Amino acid sequence: MSDPEFTAPKPLVLRVEISAEQASALVPFIGAEASAPAAPAPLSDAAVDVRVLELKERETELEQREAEFVADVQFREDRIERWRTELEELEQTLDRRERDLVSYVDQLQGAMSSSNDAWWSRPAGGDGGVR
């Protein structure tokens, strides 16, 4: 079984050398991605000036947007602080009114319990039985 006719064939290896001058001629066959990146064309002074002006305008617009954003945030924070102050004042007013109401109820209960129970026996009439 060691007959050369039955052994597995060896792979064929092909080596090609291409010079740099010849590589550009092969680009259409290989594809554009195989080509070396082309150096960007130098920009004229006018093109550079136009680009600089464009970037300065964009920077100015960005700074203006940032200033508007900061002002909006400050406005909202101020408004929230005013609402917080108003809420605290309303809570204090509510607490005071609750205390006043509890005091008034205590006074009424004290007046009812200390006086005789005669007002219960009165018919509902002109004063409704309330002293």
Side-chain angles (χ1 to χ4, degrees):
M1 290 277 201
S2 65
D3 189 11
E5 191 176 309
F6 295 109
T7 60
K10 292 185 178 183
L12 178 63
V13 177
L14 178 63
R15 294 177 192 226
V16 178
E17 289 185 22
I18 302 172
S19 68
E21 296 84 25
Q22 295 171 336
S24 62
L26 295 175
V27 168
F29 301 109
I30 298 173
E33 65 274 353
S35 66
L43 297 174
S44 67
D45 288 341
V48 170
D49 291 343
V50 167
R51 184 68 176 149
V52 167
L53 286 175
E54 180 183 317
L55 290 175
K56 284 184 179 181
E57 288 175 7
R58 289 177 63 186
E59 183 180 16
T60 302
E61 290 172 4
L62 181 61
E63 288 173 351
Q64 182 178 355
R65 285 178 41 204
E66 182 180 9
E68 289 172 359
F69 177 76
V70 169
D72 185 53
V73 168
Q74 185 64 43
F75 174 74
R76 290 172 189 256
E77 287 177 351
D78 291 346
R79 186 170 47 179
I80 289 172
E81 188 60 36
R82 279 195 317 269
W83 288 347
R84 183 175 292 126
T85 303
E86 290 174 12
L87 179 62
E88 288 174 358
E89 290 172 359
L90 289 172
E91 286 176 340
Q92 289 173 359
T93 301
L94 181 61
D95 288 343
R96 182 179 43 80
R97 287 185 177 179
E98 285 177 348
R99 285 191 308 271
D100 291 348
L101 184 59
V102 167
S103 173
Y104 179 68
V105 169
D106 286 344
Q107 288 175 3
L108 285 178
Q109 288 176 344
M112 289 180 180
S113 64
S114 65
S115 66
N116 59 13
D117 292 332
W119 68 275
W120 283 106
S121 61
R122 280 194 243 157
D127 65 353
V130 178
R131 290 186 169 187

